[in-house]
Each structure stands twice: as C-alpha cells, then as structure tokens.
Amino acid sequence: MKTLHALTLVLIAAGGLSLAQAQGLRAEVGRPLQQAAEFLKAGKAREALAKVREAEAVPGRTAAEQLTIDRMKAAAAQRAGDTATAIQALEAIHSKAGGAEQGQVAEQLASAYAQQRNNAKASEWINKAVQAGNNSASVKQMQSFLQGASGDYTAIARDAGAAVSAAEQAGRRPDEGDLLRLADAQQRTGNLAGYSSSLEKLLAHHPKKDYWSAYLGRLPRKAGFAPRYEIDVMRLRLASGTLTKTEDFMELAQLALQAGLPTEARRIADQGFKTGVLGTGPEAARHQRLRDLAVKQEGEAKTNLPSQVADALTQKTGDALVKYGYAQVSLGDFDAGTKLIEQGIAKGGLRFPEDGKLRLGMAQLQNPKTKAAAVQTLRSVKGSDGAADVARLWVILGNP
C-alpha cells in the first residue's frame, strides 16, 4: 500500500522545522506528532502510531489539528500493517480532502479494503478515485484486478475498450495492458470478433511472437475461412518468425510447389537449411530431396513460363494471368509479374476476384518501388473467406 501524503516525512527532512511550526499546531498536539514523524523516518511504525494516539487524546482539537493527526495516523498505520486503523483515518481525510488529493485518498482506501479482501468496498472506492480524476496506471491495474476477481468481464471489456478507443481517437498507441485486458475479457464473454480485432491491434502496436502465434493459430478455424489460404497462413508464420518446426517448413515448401511456385519453395528450404530446421536428423535426406526437387522445378519454370503466359493471354478469364504473374514475381521479375496480375484482374471473370487483389498487393509489397501502392491494394481486399484477414496481416507485417 502506498504511504499517504508525503508531508509528514518531508517536514522532518526539511532540517529541523517542527511539525507544530509548519502546521500551526498547539505544542501539546504538535510535539507527539513530531515524534511520530521521527519514528516513521526511523522505520518504527508502531511507535509512531502510539505517538499519534497521544496527540489524538488532547482535548479540544481544532479541525486543522485533527486533519494533521489523521494524516499521520494513516501513514503510521499503513506502515505498521494496521489496515483497520488506516481505513478509519483515510475515510476521515477523504471527507475533508479536495481536488487531486481526494482521488489519491480514494485509491488508498481501495487498496486497504482489497487487503482486507473486501472487494465490494474496494470497488466502491476505486470507482470514487476514477470519478475524482485519478486515472493513474495503478488505479487501472486495481480496477482490472477487482473486476476480474468479481468475474465482471463485461465491465473489464467496457473499461479497457474505452481506454483503447480514447488512445486511438487521440492519435496515440493503445496501451498494451489495456489491449490484453480487452482481448481476455472479449474471449471470456464469447465476443470472438472483438477478440480477433484486439489481437490484430496488439500485432499492429505491440508486435510479439506470442501474439502472432495466438492470432495465426486461430485464424484457420475462423468461420468461413477457406482452405485455399492455408499457404498464406503458413507464409505469415514464416515471415513473423513463428514457423519453427521441421514438418512445418516441409509442408510450406510442398504447398509452394503445388501452387506452381518452385522458387518460393526453394527459398523456404534454403531458410530451413540455414537455420538448422532442415538438413539434420534421420529425415535429412528427405529434406535434401525436397530442396533438389524445388531447384529442378525452378529451372523448368524459367523455361516454361513464357509459353504459359502466352497461353494465359488467350484465355477468356484472368485467372491464369494472375497465377503466372505471381509466379513471375516469385522468380524476381517484379515489374513484369505485377503487370500480368493487373492484366488478369482487368480481364475479369476471376473465380475469386478478391484473390486477385490479394496477390497483386503481395506482389507490390515485395517490390521496393511499389510498397506504398501495396498497402492501398491490400486494404481494398474484402470478403469473409480469409482474403481480407490475410491482406490486413500483410499490411501489419509489411514484408512478405
């Protein structure tokens, strides 16, 4: 528990100035309070509390004397671990305090009642602290603790959500703790859409591997998420540093081969070998065979791509142009590949129109000259089948 009102100790440190002189107290009140302050400074809280009680026994105390007694009593009782006495003194002070001090005293009372495990009274006083304008980090932390202890996750979601919204409206980065509390409360109350949104904000403002793992782990299970985006989820895991298992590297490389992207497959294998995820253990030979296959198909792709593109130009829909355009981007020919994707989108008739915009945005993001355009393209991707989710994550990550 914090010690209330630093006045008592500041007086002693001031170099001989007596408490009675500073506060205009009568000697019979000021003397024991001065001694109490000295005991507090020496770490003798119980002795200090005894001296406070001597001052409190003086008859005819003025309002100013009683307030000073209560301040010293609260400080001594807090340090002595006498929570009941601290509460009695703090409540007396709160009734007389004004301005910022009232909010500070209310926080002290909330902490004291929490120590007594009286969460109802603690919540009452923490709310009074907020009403008095005390919005410190410690108040927010206690408010969240008390709401969690009561199981009131609706209140946590409301308060944390308000804090996040206020930060966003002010152009500030939302506090990580507020976002975590909001996400937890949303998950506990079954607000899965809100939970997903809060996780995205954590990725955007406080990117950590744990958050990427949590988000990408649940994304394929989202209602309506299309299996064709499995490769995209794994690409995002690779780019965010959360693809770490040997079998995952193998699976992603195989998916790239199946998609007609052997250069991407070879790069995935190369990264796996470089980090030691591939090329070791009893399956090392299998890893090498996969990489060799990617290299072989990469050479074939370079030879066959011109005729495949020529054929795609004759087709009625733009699907093949998008496919081979992205393959050309994968080979490192950004400008020509991006142009083919744009031609495919313009031709129309795409089976999945949003996929075309997603591939265009990903292609633009890989080209240093078109990264700004990539963000605009990716933000234009719509739909509820996973394309828009993947696009937003590439905007956050910014480096496919």
PDB file of all heavy atoms in Angstrom, residues 66-100:
ATOM      1  N   GLN A  66      -6.970  17.976  13.818  1.00  0.00           N
ATOM      2  CA  GLN A  66      -7.491  16.633  13.591  1.00  0.00           C
ATOM      3  C   GLN A  66      -7.085  16.116  12.208  1.00  0.00           C
ATOM      4  O   GLN A  66      -6.740  14.936  12.048  1.00  0.00           O
ATOM      5  CB  GLN A  66      -9.022  16.614  13.713  1.00  0.00           C
ATOM      6  CG  GLN A  66      -9.623  15.208  13.615  1.00  0.00           C
ATOM      7  CD  GLN A  66      -9.096  14.279  14.706  1.00  0.00           C
ATOM      8  OE1 GLN A  66      -9.157  14.600  15.894  1.00  0.00           O
ATOM      9  NE2 GLN A  66      -8.560  13.131  14.299  1.00  0.00           N
ATOM     10  N   LEU A  67      -7.090  16.994  11.204  1.00  0.00           N
ATOM     11  CA  LEU A  67      -6.691  16.567   9.857  1.00  0.00           C
ATOM     12  C   LEU A  67      -5.230  16.138   9.838  1.00  0.00           C
ATOM     13  O   LEU A  67      -4.870  15.129   9.229  1.00  0.00           O
ATOM     14  CB  LEU A  67      -6.933  17.701   8.854  1.00  0.00           C
ATOM     15  CG  LEU A  67      -6.584  17.384   7.390  1.00  0.00           C
ATOM     16  CD1 LEU A  67      -7.369  16.179   6.877  1.00  0.00           C
ATOM     17  CD2 LEU A  67      -6.839  18.610   6.507  1.00  0.00           C
ATOM     18  N   THR A  68      -4.380  16.913  10.539  1.00  0.00           N
ATOM     19  CA  THR A  68      -2.967  16.538  10.597  1.00  0.00           C
ATOM     20  C   THR A  68      -2.775  15.232  11.362  1.00  0.00           C
ATOM     21  O   THR A  68      -1.966  14.369  10.968  1.00  0.00           O
ATOM     22  CB  THR A  68      -2.151  17.654  11.264  1.00  0.00           C
ATOM     23  OG1 THR A  68      -2.402  18.885  10.595  1.00  0.00           O
ATOM     24  CG2 THR A  68      -0.664  17.338  11.206  1.00  0.00           C
ATOM     25  N   ILE A  69      -3.523  15.037  12.418  1.00  0.00           N
ATOM     26  CA  ILE A  69      -3.475  13.781  13.175  1.00  0.00           C
ATOM     27  C   ILE A  69      -3.882  12.619  12.274  1.00  0.00           C
ATOM     28  O   ILE A  69      -3.228  11.563  12.251  1.00  0.00           O
ATOM     29  CB  ILE A  69      -4.392  13.860  14.411  1.00  0.00           C
ATOM     30  CG1 ILE A  69      -3.772  14.790  15.463  1.00  0.00           C
ATOM     31  CG2 ILE A  69      -4.627  12.475  15.008  1.00  0.00           C
ATOM     32  CD1 ILE A  69      -4.714  15.141  16.601  1.00  0.00           C
ATOM     33  N   ASP A  70      -4.961  12.812  11.517  1.00  0.00           N
ATOM     34  CA  ASP A  70      -5.439  11.733  10.640  1.00  0.00           C
ATOM     35  C   ASP A  70      -4.424  11.402   9.546  1.00  0.00           C
ATOM     36  O   ASP A  70      -4.228  10.233   9.199  1.00  0.00           O
ATOM     37  CB  ASP A  70      -6.772  12.123  10.002  1.00  0.00           C
ATOM     38  CG  ASP A  70      -7.925  12.082  10.999  1.00  0.00           C
ATOM     39  OD1 ASP A  70      -7.844  11.293  11.957  1.00  0.00           O
ATOM     40  OD2 ASP A  70      -8.902  12.840  10.813  1.00  0.00           O
ATOM     41  N   ARG A  71      -3.766  12.423   9.016  1.00  0.00           N
ATOM     42  CA  ARG A  71      -2.748  12.173   8.001  1.00  0.00           C
ATOM     43  C   ARG A  71      -1.614  11.324   8.573  1.00  0.00           C
ATOM     44  O   ARG A  71      -1.171  10.352   7.961  1.00  0.00           O
ATOM     45  CB  ARG A  71      -2.182  13.491   7.476  1.00  0.00           C
ATOM     46  CG  ARG A  71      -3.138  14.330   6.645  1.00  0.00           C
ATOM     47  CD  ARG A  71      -2.355  15.454   5.969  1.00  0.00           C
ATOM     48  NE  ARG A  71      -3.228  16.488   5.434  1.00  0.00           N
ATOM     49  CZ  ARG A  71      -3.970  16.388   4.338  1.00  0.00           C
ATOM     50  NH1 ARG A  71      -3.959  15.253   3.671  1.00  0.00           N
ATOM     51  NH2 ARG A  71      -4.718  17.393   3.925  1.00  0.00           N
ATOM     52  N   MET A  72      -1.134  11.727   9.765  1.00  0.00           N
ATOM     53  CA  MET A  72      -0.041  10.985  10.378  1.00  0.00           C
ATOM     54  C   MET A  72      -0.494   9.595  10.789  1.00  0.00           C
ATOM     55  O   MET A  72       0.248   8.612  10.661  1.00  0.00           O
ATOM     56  CB  MET A  72       0.490  11.752  11.591  1.00  0.00           C
ATOM     57  CG  MET A  72       1.730  11.128  12.206  1.00  0.00           C
ATOM     58  SD  MET A  72       3.175  11.253  11.132  1.00  0.00           S
ATOM     59  CE  MET A  72       3.630  12.960  11.447  1.00  0.00           C
ATOM     60  N   LYS A  73      -1.720   9.476  11.255  1.00  0.00           N
ATOM     61  CA  LYS A  73      -2.245   8.170  11.659  1.00  0.00           C
ATOM     62  C   LYS A  73      -2.306   7.226  10.447  1.00  0.00           C
ATOM     63  O   LYS A  73      -1.936   6.055  10.543  1.00  0.00           O
ATOM     64  CB  LYS A  73      -3.638   8.309  12.281  1.00  0.00           C
ATOM     65  CG  LYS A  73      -4.176   6.987  12.830  1.00  0.00           C
ATOM     66  CD  LYS A  73      -5.674   7.042  13.056  1.00  0.00           C
ATOM     67  CE  LYS A  73      -6.027   7.997  14.183  1.00  0.00           C
ATOM     68  NZ  LYS A  73      -7.493   7.953  14.488  1.00  0.00           N
ATOM     69  N   ALA A  74      -2.793   7.753   9.319  1.00  0.00           N
ATOM     70  CA  ALA A  74      -2.884   6.924   8.118  1.00  0.00           C
ATOM     71  C   ALA A  74      -1.501   6.431   7.694  1.00  0.00           C
ATOM     72  O   ALA A  74      -1.306   5.253   7.385  1.00  0.00           O
ATOM     73  CB  ALA A  74      -3.538   7.706   6.987  1.00  0.00           C
ATOM     74  N   ALA A  75      -0.519   7.335   7.709  1.00  0.00           N
ATOM     75  CA  ALA A  75       0.835   6.962   7.306  1.00  0.00           C
ATOM     76  C   ALA A  75       1.416   5.913   8.245  1.00  0.00           C
ATOM     77  O   ALA A  75       1.996   4.916   7.811  1.00  0.00           O
ATOM     78  CB  ALA A  75       1.721   8.202   7.262  1.00  0.00           C
ATOM     79  N   ALA A  76       1.256   6.129   9.554  1.00  0.00           N
ATOM     80  CA  ALA A  76       1.823   5.193  10.532  1.00  0.00           C
ATOM     81  C   ALA A  76       1.099   3.854  10.500  1.00  0.00           C
ATOM     82  O   ALA A  76       1.729   2.786  10.549  1.00  0.00           O
ATOM     83  CB  ALA A  76       1.740   5.809  11.925  1.00  0.00           C
ATOM     84  N   ALA A  77      -0.226   3.870  10.399  1.00  0.00           N
ATOM     85  CA  ALA A  77      -0.991   2.625  10.395  1.00  0.00           C
ATOM     86  C   ALA A  77      -0.691   1.795   9.147  1.00  0.00           C
ATOM     87  O   ALA A  77      -0.602   0.567   9.215  1.00  0.00           O
ATOM     88  CB  ALA A  77      -2.482   2.935  10.478  1.00  0.00           C
ATOM     89  N   GLN A  78      -0.548   2.469   8.008  1.00  0.00           N
ATOM     90  CA  GLN A  78      -0.202   1.750   6.787  1.00  0.00           C
ATOM     91  C   GLN A  78       1.120   1.014   6.957  1.00  0.00           C
ATOM     92  O   GLN A  78       1.245  -0.161   6.609  1.00  0.00           O
ATOM     93  CB  GLN A  78      -0.115   2.734   5.614  1.00  0.00           C
ATOM     94  CG  GLN A  78      -1.471   3.210   5.114  1.00  0.00           C
ATOM     95  CD  GLN A  78      -1.331   4.276   4.045  1.00  0.00           C
ATOM     96  OE1 GLN A  78      -0.331   4.989   3.975  1.00  0.00           O
ATOM     97  NE2 GLN A  78      -2.350   4.403   3.211  1.00  0.00           N
ATOM     98  N   ARG A  79       2.107   1.721   7.492  1.00  0.00           N
ATOM     99  CA  ARG A  79       3.429   1.106   7.647  1.00  0.00           C
ATOM    100  C   ARG A  79       3.443   0.046   8.736  1.00  0.00           C
ATOM    101  O   ARG A  79       4.230  -0.896   8.676  1.00  0.00           O
ATOM    102  CB  ARG A  79       4.465   2.180   7.939  1.00  0.00           C
ATOM    103  CG  ARG A  79       4.682   3.122   6.763  1.00  0.00           C
ATOM    104  CD  ARG A  79       5.990   3.855   6.874  1.00  0.00           C
ATOM    105  NE  ARG A  79       6.236   4.653   5.696  1.00  0.00           N
ATOM    106  CZ  ARG A  79       7.385   5.305   5.484  1.00  0.00           C
ATOM    107  NH1 ARG A  79       8.361   5.247   6.382  1.00  0.00           N
ATOM    108  NH2 ARG A  79       7.550   6.029   4.395  1.00  0.00           N
ATOM    109  N   ALA A  80       2.573   0.196   9.705  1.00  0.00           N
ATOM    110  CA  ALA A  80       2.517  -0.787  10.787  1.00  0.00           C
ATOM    111  C   ALA A  80       1.674  -1.999  10.422  1.00  0.00           C
ATOM    112  O   ALA A  80       1.620  -2.975  11.178  1.00  0.00           O
ATOM    113  CB  ALA A  80       1.955  -0.125  12.046  1.00  0.00           C
ATOM    114  N   GLY A  81       0.991  -1.962   9.285  1.00  0.00           N
ATOM    115  CA  GLY A  81       0.140  -3.069   8.878  1.00  0.00           C
ATOM    116  C   GLY A  81      -1.194  -3.103   9.587  1.00  0.00           C
ATOM    117  O   GLY A  81      -1.890  -4.122   9.564  1.00  0.00           O
ATOM    118  N   ASP A  82      -1.581  -1.983  10.208  1.00  0.00           N
ATOM    119  CA  ASP A  82      -2.863  -1.880  10.905  1.00  0.00           C
ATOM    120  C   ASP A  82      -3.883  -1.327   9.908  1.00  0.00           C
ATOM    121  O   ASP A  82      -4.183  -0.125   9.882  1.00  0.00           O
ATOM    122  CB  ASP A  82      -2.723  -0.963  12.123  1.00  0.00           C
ATOM    123  CG  ASP A  82      -3.974  -0.943  12.994  1.00  0.00           C
ATOM    124  OD1 ASP A  82      -5.034  -1.393  12.504  1.00  0.00           O
ATOM    125  OD2 ASP A  82      -3.891  -0.447  14.130  1.00  0.00           O
ATOM    126  N   THR A  83      -4.415  -2.208   9.072  1.00  0.00           N
ATOM    127  CA  THR A  83      -5.270  -1.784   7.968  1.00  0.00           C
ATOM    128  C   THR A  83      -6.557  -1.131   8.449  1.00  0.00           C
ATOM    129  O   THR A  83      -7.015  -0.134   7.879  1.00  0.00           O
ATOM    130  CB  THR A  83      -5.599  -2.988   7.059  1.00  0.00           C
ATOM    131  OG1 THR A  83      -4.373  -3.610   6.660  1.00  0.00           O
ATOM    132  CG2 THR A  83      -6.359  -2.553   5.823  1.00  0.00           C
ATOM    133  N   ALA A  84      -7.163  -1.679   9.512  1.00  0.00           N
ATOM    134  CA  ALA A  84      -8.419  -1.113  10.003  1.00  0.00           C
ATOM    135  C   ALA A  84      -8.235   0.331  10.449  1.00  0.00           C
ATOM    136  O   ALA A  84      -9.065   1.201  10.150  1.00  0.00           O
ATOM    137  CB  ALA A  84      -8.957  -1.962  11.152  1.00  0.00           C
ATOM    138  N   THR A  85      -7.141   0.597  11.172  1.00  0.00           N
ATOM    139  CA  THR A  85      -6.886   1.970  11.616  1.00  0.00           C
ATOM    140  C   THR A  85      -6.594   2.880  10.427  1.00  0.00           C
ATOM    141  O   THR A  85      -7.044   4.035  10.387  1.00  0.00           O
ATOM    142  CB  THR A  85      -5.705   1.988  12.602  1.00  0.00           C
ATOM    143  OG1 THR A  85      -6.049   1.212  13.754  1.00  0.00           O
ATOM    144  CG2 THR A  85      -5.373   3.405  13.033  1.00  0.00           C
ATOM    145  N   ALA A  86      -5.846   2.362   9.454  1.00  0.00           N
ATOM    146  CA  ALA A  86      -5.548   3.154   8.257  1.00  0.00           C
ATOM    147  C   ALA A  86      -6.836   3.531   7.533  1.00  0.00           C
ATOM    148  O   ALA A  86      -7.002   4.677   7.092  1.00  0.00           O
ATOM    149  CB  ALA A  86      -4.621   2.372   7.329  1.00  0.00           C
ATOM    150  N   ILE A  87      -7.777   2.580   7.428  1.00  0.00           N
ATOM    151  CA  ILE A  87      -9.049   2.847   6.752  1.00  0.00           C
ATOM    152  C   ILE A  87      -9.822   3.947   7.481  1.00  0.00           C
ATOM    153  O   ILE A  87     -10.354   4.875   6.869  1.00  0.00           O
ATOM    154  CB  ILE A  87      -9.888   1.559   6.647  1.00  0.00           C
ATOM    155  CG1 ILE A  87      -9.271   0.628   5.592  1.00  0.00           C
ATOM    156  CG2 ILE A  87     -11.345   1.874   6.301  1.00  0.00           C
ATOM    157  CD1 ILE A  87      -9.909  -0.737   5.526  1.00  0.00           C
ATOM    158  N   GLN A  88      -9.869   3.845   8.810  1.00  0.00           N
ATOM    159  CA  GLN A  88     -10.608   4.845   9.601  1.00  0.00           C
ATOM    160  C   GLN A  88     -10.019   6.236   9.375  1.00  0.00           C
ATOM    161  O   GLN A  88     -10.755   7.216   9.169  1.00  0.00           O
ATOM    162  CB  GLN A  88     -10.550   4.467  11.084  1.00  0.00           C
ATOM    163  CG  GLN A  88     -11.219   5.468  12.026  1.00  0.00           C
ATOM    164  CD  GLN A  88     -10.221   6.469  12.596  1.00  0.00           C
ATOM    165  OE1 GLN A  88      -9.082   6.127  12.928  1.00  0.00           O
ATOM    166  NE2 GLN A  88     -10.648   7.726  12.687  1.00  0.00           N
ATOM    167  N   ALA A  89      -8.693   6.340   9.363  1.00  0.00           N
ATOM    168  CA  ALA A  89      -8.045   7.637   9.170  1.00  0.00           C
ATOM    169  C   ALA A  89      -8.247   8.145   7.745  1.00  0.00           C
ATOM    170  O   ALA A  89      -8.524   9.337   7.529  1.00  0.00           O
ATOM    171  CB  ALA A  89      -6.558   7.512   9.482  1.00  0.00           C
ATOM    172  N   LEU A  90      -8.113   7.247   6.787  1.00  0.00           N
ATOM    173  CA  LEU A  90      -8.249   7.652   5.384  1.00  0.00           C
ATOM    174  C   LEU A  90      -9.659   8.130   5.067  1.00  0.00           C
ATOM    175  O   LEU A  90      -9.856   9.098   4.316  1.00  0.00           O
ATOM    176  CB  LEU A  90      -7.869   6.489   4.462  1.00  0.00           C
ATOM    177  CG  LEU A  90      -6.376   6.140   4.408  1.00  0.00           C
ATOM    178  CD1 LEU A  90      -6.148   4.790   3.753  1.00  0.00           C
ATOM    179  CD2 LEU A  90      -5.605   7.232   3.662  1.00  0.00           C
ATOM    180  N   GLU A  91     -10.668   7.452   5.611  1.00  0.00           N
ATOM    181  CA  GLU A  91     -12.044   7.882   5.369  1.00  0.00           C
ATOM    182  C   GLU A  91     -12.294   9.263   5.967  1.00  0.00           C
ATOM    183  O   GLU A  91     -13.024  10.073   5.389  1.00  0.00           O
ATOM    184  CB  GLU A  91     -13.022   6.849   5.909  1.00  0.00           C
ATOM    185  CG  GLU A  91     -13.037   5.562   5.077  1.00  0.00           C
ATOM    186  CD  GLU A  91     -14.072   4.553   5.538  1.00  0.00           C
ATOM    187  OE1 GLU A  91     -14.532   4.650   6.697  1.00  0.00           O
ATOM    188  OE2 GLU A  91     -14.407   3.642   4.752  1.00  0.00           O
ATOM    189  N   ALA A  92     -11.672   9.518   7.117  1.00  0.00           N
ATOM    190  CA  ALA A  92     -11.810  10.847   7.722  1.00  0.00           C
ATOM    191  C   ALA A  92     -11.150  11.911   6.842  1.00  0.00           C
ATOM    192  O   ALA A  92     -11.680  13.012   6.661  1.00  0.00           O
ATOM    193  CB  ALA A  92     -11.187  10.846   9.113  1.00  0.00           C
ATOM    194  N   ILE A  93      -9.991  11.575   6.298  1.00  0.00           N
ATOM    195  CA  ILE A  93      -9.284  12.520   5.422  1.00  0.00           C
ATOM    196  C   ILE A  93     -10.086  12.772   4.144  1.00  0.00           C
ATOM    197  O   ILE A  93     -10.214  13.911   3.686  1.00  0.00           O
ATOM    198  CB  ILE A  93      -7.880  11.976   5.068  1.00  0.00           C
ATOM    199  CG1 ILE A  93      -7.013  11.885   6.327  1.00  0.00           C
ATOM    200  CG2 ILE A  93      -7.209  12.849   4.010  1.00  0.00           C
ATOM    201  CD1 ILE A  93      -5.752  11.077   6.131  1.00  0.00           C
ATOM    202  N   HIS A  94     -10.633  11.701   3.561  1.00  0.00           N
ATOM    203  CA  HIS A  94     -11.367  11.830   2.305  1.00  0.00           C
ATOM    204  C   HIS A  94     -12.542  12.787   2.438  1.00  0.00           C
ATOM    205  O   HIS A  94     -12.865  13.537   1.506  1.00  0.00           O
ATOM    206  CB  HIS A  94     -11.862  10.454   1.841  1.00  0.00           C
ATOM    207  CG  HIS A  94     -12.518  10.478   0.494  1.00  0.00           C
ATOM    208  ND1 HIS A  94     -13.865  10.693   0.315  1.00  0.00           N
ATOM    209  CD2 HIS A  94     -11.995  10.344  -0.755  1.00  0.00           C
ATOM    210  CE1 HIS A  94     -14.149  10.680  -0.975  1.00  0.00           C
ATOM    211  NE2 HIS A  94     -13.033  10.464  -1.647  1.00  0.00           N
ATOM    212  N   SER A  95     -13.180  12.781   3.593  1.00  0.00           N
ATOM    213  CA  SER A  95     -14.348  13.651   3.783  1.00  0.00           C
ATOM    214  C   SER A  95     -13.957  15.123   3.797  1.00  0.00           C
ATOM    215  O   SER A  95     -14.801  15.997   3.593  1.00  0.00           O
ATOM    216  CB  SER A  95     -15.052  13.299   5.100  1.00  0.00           C
ATOM    217  OG  SER A  95     -14.222  13.604   6.212  1.00  0.00           O
ATOM    218  N   LYS A  96     -12.661  15.409   4.015  1.00  0.00           N
ATOM    219  CA  LYS A  96     -12.200  16.796   4.085  1.00  0.00           C
ATOM    220  C   LYS A  96     -11.322  17.177   2.895  1.00  0.00           C
ATOM    221  O   LYS A  96     -11.085  18.364   2.667  1.00  0.00           O
ATOM    222  CB  LYS A  96     -11.409  17.022   5.370  1.00  0.00           C
ATOM    223  CG  LYS A  96     -12.159  16.689   6.659  1.00  0.00           C
ATOM    224  CD  LYS A  96     -11.281  16.927   7.871  1.00  0.00           C
ATOM    225  CE  LYS A  96     -11.980  16.506   9.168  1.00  0.00           C
ATOM    226  NZ  LYS A  96     -12.118  15.035   9.291  1.00  0.00           N
ATOM    227  N   ALA A  97     -10.821  16.199   2.180  1.00  0.00           N
ATOM    228  CA  ALA A  97      -9.874  16.466   1.088  1.00  0.00           C
ATOM    229  C   ALA A  97     -10.592  17.059  -0.115  1.00  0.00           C
ATOM    230  O   ALA A  97     -11.802  16.929  -0.283  1.00  0.00           O
ATOM    231  CB  ALA A  97      -9.169  15.171   0.690  1.00  0.00           C
ATOM    232  N   GLY A  98      -9.825  17.668  -0.967  1.00  0.00           N
ATOM    233  CA  GLY A  98     -10.384  18.224  -2.190  1.00  0.00           C
ATOM    234  C   GLY A  98      -9.402  18.069  -3.332  1.00  0.00           C
ATOM    235  O   GLY A  98      -8.231  17.731  -3.135  1.00  0.00           O
ATOM    236  N   GLY A  99      -9.886  18.286  -4.538  1.00  0.00           N
ATOM    237  CA  GLY A  99      -9.012  18.244  -5.699  1.00  0.00           C
ATOM    238  C   GLY A  99      -8.377  16.887  -5.924  1.00  0.00           C
ATOM    239  O   GLY A  99      -8.976  15.840  -5.695  1.00  0.00           O
ATOM    240  N   ALA A 100      -7.122  16.923  -6.358  1.00  0.00           N
ATOM    241  CA  ALA A 100      -6.417  15.693  -6.713  1.00  0.00           C
ATOM    242  C   ALA A 100      -6.228  14.769  -5.512  1.00  0.00           C
ATOM    243  O   ALA A 100      -6.217  13.550  -5.655  1.00  0.00           O
ATOM    244  CB  ALA A 100      -5.058  16.028  -7.321  1.00  0.00           C
TER     245      ALA A 100
END
